[in-house]
């Protein structure tokens, strides 16, 4: 039995045929001494996505051209009380660095988490981001996520606590337009976060009560950019490379964060238009990365639906993947797709 490949080896071997880079390059050429505003200028970032942005997903995004990728949102309470949450924090050796997003509501736990994450990751921690945007009720009912938009004083305490826990590490925040429809608080709230020491503000152009329905209002990005002097990162409805370029050109955003636009499309960051063969190869590469990083291979079931979307008989291939368990079974489905399409 041959030894399992590392994520770096998988990417080097299978990335190029999928139109991806053979290795992950450091964020902003590794120049950590440059101001964050300069390093973010024009950058396309892979957003933190719960249940999605594991190490394999981050490596795919970075190989596809993402300047930086975020962890899934990590509970400060989880880091304090157990070891399981630390799996979400640790970068893979194939990643030069990551951004770690924390969520919670207690400043003292944020201070502790910032200190411990910074000590654990060292130079591989690009920045700490605080989630003040998540609209999910099980998060907001605890006063976390977008619920913090209603308590700017507490949110400012949290920013200061993170800065105290991890001196020298940029601390950023991710917010929404407001919590309730028609009640925009983002510009004033962002100003308070800047005063507390936030190094950048990511703005999702929906109210929390909208969840992910309706259209994101990019106008709020301009209003926040007018209100603060730190970089503003555009978020919401960035579903293509063209949309990312439009967000940079038409708003006051310094950088753009891409979430759902990455589904089955690591090329969204570069603008490369993949062939059917490259999409299949990317799925195969992603499956191998899941195996290399020790992730649960059931995640590949969702990936199959995303990568095969738009292909002839896509529903058939998606259904075939739903019964797969091992990497070999997923790769066999990919081989069938390739044969059927002559790709």
């Amino acid at each position: 039995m041959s030894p399992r490949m590392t994520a770096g080896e998988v990417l080097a071997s299978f990335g190029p045929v999928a139109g991806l880079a053979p290795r992950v390059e450091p964020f902003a050429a590794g120049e950590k001494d440059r101001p964050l505003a300069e390093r973010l200028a024009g950058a396309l970032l892979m957003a933190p996505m719960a249940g999605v942005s594991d190490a394999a997903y981050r490596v795919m995004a970075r190989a596809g051209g993402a300047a930086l990728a975020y962890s899934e949102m990590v509970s400060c309470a989880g880091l304090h009380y157990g070891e399981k949450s630390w799996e979400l924090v640790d970068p893979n050796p194939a990643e030069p660095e990551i951004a770690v997003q924390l969520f919670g509501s207690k400043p003292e736990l944020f201070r502790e988490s910032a200190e411990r994450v910074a000590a654990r990751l060292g130079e591989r921690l690009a920045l700490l981001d605080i989630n003040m945007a998540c609209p999910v009720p099980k998060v907001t009912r605890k006063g976390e996520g977008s619920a913090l938009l209603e308590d700017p004083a507490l949110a400012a305490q949290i920013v200061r606590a993170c800065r105290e826990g991890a001196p020298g590490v940029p601390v950023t925040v991710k917010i929404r337009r407001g919590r309730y429809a028609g009640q925009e608080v983002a510009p004033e709230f962002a100003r308070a976060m800047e005063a507390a020491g936030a190094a950048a503000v990511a703005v999702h152009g929906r109210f929390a009560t909208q969840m992910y329905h309706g259209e994101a209002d990019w106008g709020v990005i301009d209003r926040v950019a007018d209100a603060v002097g730190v970089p503003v990162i555009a978020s919401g409805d960035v579903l293509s490379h063209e949309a990312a370029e439009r967000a940079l050109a038409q708003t006051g955003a310094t950088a753009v964060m891409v979430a759902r636009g990455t589904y089955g499309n690591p090329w969204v960051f570069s603008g490369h238009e993949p062939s059917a063969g490259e999409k299949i190869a990317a799925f195969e590469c992603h499956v191998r990365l899941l195996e290399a990083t020790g992730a649960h291979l059931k995640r590949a079931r969702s990936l199959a639906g995303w990568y095969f979307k738009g292909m002839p008989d896509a529903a058939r291939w998606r259904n075939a993947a739903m019964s797969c368990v091992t990497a070999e079974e997923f790769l066999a489905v990919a081989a069938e797709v390739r044969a059927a399409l002559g790709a």
Side-chain angles (χ1 to χ4, degrees):
M1 182 176 176
S2 59
R4 188 168 74 182
M5 297 176 75
T6 66
E9 290 169 341
V10 168
L11 189 58
S13 298
F14 301 100
V17 72
L20 304 171
R23 70 186 65 83
V24 176
E25 298 298 334
F27 173 45
E31 298 178 20
K32 290 181 72 75
D33 293 334
R34 285 171 56 201
L36 183 64
E38 292 182 12
R39 302 173 77 203
L40 285 175
L44 303 190
L45 315 170
M46 192 207 84
M49 292 172 281
V52 175
S53 48
D54 58 15
Y57 205 93
R58 295 193 303 265
V59 169
M60 287 293 289
R62 295 292 297 274
L68 184 64
Y70 289 66
S71 70
E72 300 182 41
M73 67 178 195
V74 184
S75 165
C76 290
L79 295 180
H80 177 77
Y81 291 109
E83 289 298 316
K84 187 70 176 175
S85 293
W86 285 100
E87 296 176 7
L88 303 178
V89 171
D90 291 330
N92 184 272
E95 301 176 273
E97 69 284 290
I98 64 170
V100 173
Q101 187 185 71
L102 301 173
F103 78 99
S105 61
K106 297 180 179 178
E108 62 273 19
L109 288 184
F110 272 97
R111 183 181 293 105
E112 176 192 285
S113 295
E115 182 177 2
R116 294 178 68 191
V117 170
R120 188 174 178 118
L121 270 61
E123 290 294 305
R124 298 176 72 194
L125 178 61
L127 59 84
L128 283 168
D129 187 62
I130 303 168
N131 186 304
M132 301 181 182
C134 181
V136 178
K138 71 177 182 179
V139 172
T140 58
R141 73 168 61 103
K142 297 178 183 178
E144 303 168 347
S146 60
L148 288 169
L149 295 172
E150 295 185 283
D151 195 341
L154 175 60
Q157 287 182 42
I158 288 171
V159 171
R160 289 192 292 268
C162 283
R163 295 187 67 222
E164 291 164 4
V169 176
V171 174
T172 65
V173 298
K174 186 168 191 284
I175 68 175
R176 282 197 169 219
R177 187 179 177 187
R179 188 169 184 192
Y180 300 104
Q183 298 178 23
E184 181 174 291
V185 302
E188 181 180 352
F189 187 90
R191 198 179 298 118
M193 296 309 99
E194 178 184 30
V201 180
V203 185
H204 183 108
R206 287 183 177 86
F207 295 104
T209 51
Q210 286 182 266
M211 299 293 284
Y212 299 96
H213 305 298
E215 292 186 1
D217 176 6
W218 286 1
V220 70
I221 296 165
D222 281 327
R223 293 188 286 276
V224 171
D226 288 341
V228 300
V230 295
V232 173
I233 302 168
S235 173
D237 290 353
V238 184
L239 301 177
S240 66
H241 185 74
E242 184 273 334
E245 290 187 319
R246 192 155 30 89
L248 285 171
Q250 297 180 4
T251 75
T254 296
V256 175
M257 186 176 279
V258 189
R260 290 176 295 161
T262 64
Y263 289 0
N265 188 14
W267 311 274
V268 67
F269 302 100
S270 68
H272 174 68
E273 292 292 339
S275 64
E278 286 174 324
K279 289 183 179 180
I280 297 167
F283 173 70
E284 293 170 325
C285 183
H286 206 144
V287 168
R288 290 184 168 102
L289 282 172
L290 287 174
E291 186 174 47
T293 57
H296 204 301
L297 283 165
K298 282 186 178 178
R299 289 197 168 195
R301 295 176 181 176
S302 296
L303 298 177
W306 295 340
Y307 282 107
F308 299 155
K309 185 178 180 180
M311 294 183 183
D313 290 329
R316 172 188 169 193
W317 306 122
R318 183 174 63 251
N319 291 337
M322 289 302 293
S323 62
C324 294
V325 175
T326 67
E328 289 72 22
E329 289 171 344
F330 284 109
L331 295 174
V333 170
E336 288 185 47
V337 178
R338 181 178 284 106
L341 300 184

